[in-house]
Amino acid sequence: MSDLTDDLTDAFSEATDEETAATAAENVAAFAEQYDEDLTADDALDTLAEAPYDDFEHRFNWLVGELAAGEEDCTDTREFRLGGYDEFAADPDMAA
């Protein structure tokens, strides 16, 4: 695990169960690796604190959307959100 993942897992564990916290932290680390290598745990936590929702899953998914809004190349955040793709989502491998 990276420092980012470790730090976020610890912080997220205060708001949700350990499994969800670990998944959320790994998703942020994957986002950072793909789109924003300079993202820090403090940056992510500061943004999460601004979320307009009470429950962790909604707050986290909002965080992912906010992170992606700052990245021109990120147009689909489902892989980073909790819940990811579901049975009602469009097939990400099909061309539009």
Side-chain angles (χ1 to χ4, degrees):
M1 282 191 174
S2 69
D3 288 340
L4 178 61
T5 304
D6 292 341
D7 292 346
L8 289 176
T9 299
D10 291 342
F12 292 163
S13 291
E14 296 175 13
T16 190
D17 63 88
E18 287 188 33
E19 183 178 338
T20 302
T23 300
E26 289 168 6
N27 289 0
V28 171
F31 177 87
E33 184 177 315
Q34 190 168 349
Y35 293 105
D36 186 1
E37 293 179 359
D38 295 328
L39 181 66
T40 66
D42 287 339
D43 292 339
L45 294 172
D46 288 347
T47 302
L48 182 67
E50 298 172 11
Y53 302 104
D54 292 327
D55 70 275
F56 180 78
E57 186 170 331
H58 281 107
R59 290 176 41 228
F60 179 79
N61 289 339
W62 183 87
L63 164 67
V64 171
E66 288 298 298
L67 294 175
E71 299 299 322
E72 182 176 301
D73 296 336
C74 185
T75 59
D76 186 354
T77 61
R78 290 176 293 174
E79 69 180 288
F80 305 110
R81 294 176 184 262
L82 293 176
Y85 300 102
D86 63 18
E87 68 271 13
F88 300 111
D91 184 343
D93 297 322
M94 288 186 75

